[in-house]
Amino acid sequence: MRVALAGGFEECVDTINTVQTKPGGTVGPVGQGLNTRLNDYGGGGVSADEYPPDMFIREPVKTATIDNNGDVKYQDTSGAGGAPWGYSDYEAELPDCTGVSGCMIENGGRYNRRILPVPIVDCSTATGGTNTFNVEAIGCFFLLQKAPTNNSGKQAVFGEFIEDCTVANGTFGNTPPPGDPEGPFRIVLYKDPLGDSS
């Protein structure tokens, strides 16, 4: 789990296959794997050489939390115009972050490490324990802040779904996968050097 969430998952997840849940809490390995993306290698033997951090690891000044009622509280004001800091701020600040706290351009950072393709499933039929679900879509998830590495405070992984990245981050060909005529598939535009059209 730790290595997979750090970036070592090498299998294909698509909208034809299913995914299986893992019962039980594995907060430590989940947090340790995800946090490598924000330059935190505190446990588990996952190294920066193998799994470098994102190019820009800034986090909100006031992080998101879950209160005792289970409600998300995100009252940060460090984003543009005093709004909570998020993906749009990350996009705006990243291109010229040299010299800014959290900029990893000169320290081995890699682009898009904070953006993870996440399978989207319909879990309304979950029965507890291990369940198998059809993958409905794959969403691009921006990791907002470091994930918890223990059960203290019952916190969660916070971020933003920024787009459907079924094709954008996939390795699909020009035709839909077998058994899935609706897609996803990649459209490739090219210029015919022998044609008159542009």
Side-chain angles (χ1 to χ4, degrees):
M1 170 110 31
R2 183 182 293 108
V3 171
L5 290 172
F9 184 77
E10 296 180 357
E11 295 179 40
C12 180
V13 176
D14 56 36
T15 54
I16 304 171
N17 296 319
T18 59
V19 292
Q20 191 173 58
T21 61
K22 178 189 177 299
T26 50
V27 176
V30 167
Q32 290 164 356
L34 289 175
N35 292 346
T36 63
R37 299 165 185 274
L38 295 172
N39 202 38
D40 184 342
Y41 298 88
V46 181
S47 73
D49 292 334
E50 220 173 344
Y51 303 105
D54 191 87
M55 197 69 76
F56 191 35
I57 61 168
R58 178 186 167 185
E59 297 178 76
V61 171
K62 188 170 184 181
T63 57
T65 59
I66 295 178
D67 67 15
N68 292 333
N69 297 321
D71 297 323
V72 174
K73 299 297 180 187
Y74 188 37
Q75 299 169 338
D76 181 68
T77 57
S78 63
W85 191 86
Y87 179 67
S88 60
D89 299 293
Y90 167 85
E91 273 193 312
E93 296 171 17
L94 173 62
D96 189 27
C97 74
T98 305
V100 176
S101 177
C103 188
M104 301 296 289
I105 289 176
E106 297 175 349
N107 296 300
R110 299 287 185 270
Y111 284 107
N112 294 329
R113 286 276 292 142
R114 288 178 79 159
I115 300 173
L116 296 85
V118 175
I120 308 296
V121 301
D122 177 359
C123 57
S124 61
T125 59
T127 57
T130 301
N131 289 271
T132 301
F133 299 108
N134 292 324
V135 177
E136 304 291 331
I138 300 174
C140 281
F141 183 80
F142 171 72
L143 186 62
L144 179 67
Q145 62 195 44
K146 289 178 187 170
T149 55
N150 60 57
N151 285 325
S152 175
K154 303 291 184 187
Q155 293 306 310
V157 176
F158 291 98
E160 296 177 47
F161 279 103
I162 54 177
E163 64 183 337
D164 180 331
C165 60
T166 304
V167 173
N169 279 3
T171 55
F172 304 105
N174 297 339
T175 57
D180 189 10
E182 299 300 319
F185 57 93
R186 180 181 293 135
I187 298 173
V188 179
L189 302 177
Y190 64 94
K191 179 174 175 56
D192 180 355
L194 302 176
D196 294 330
S197 302
S198 59

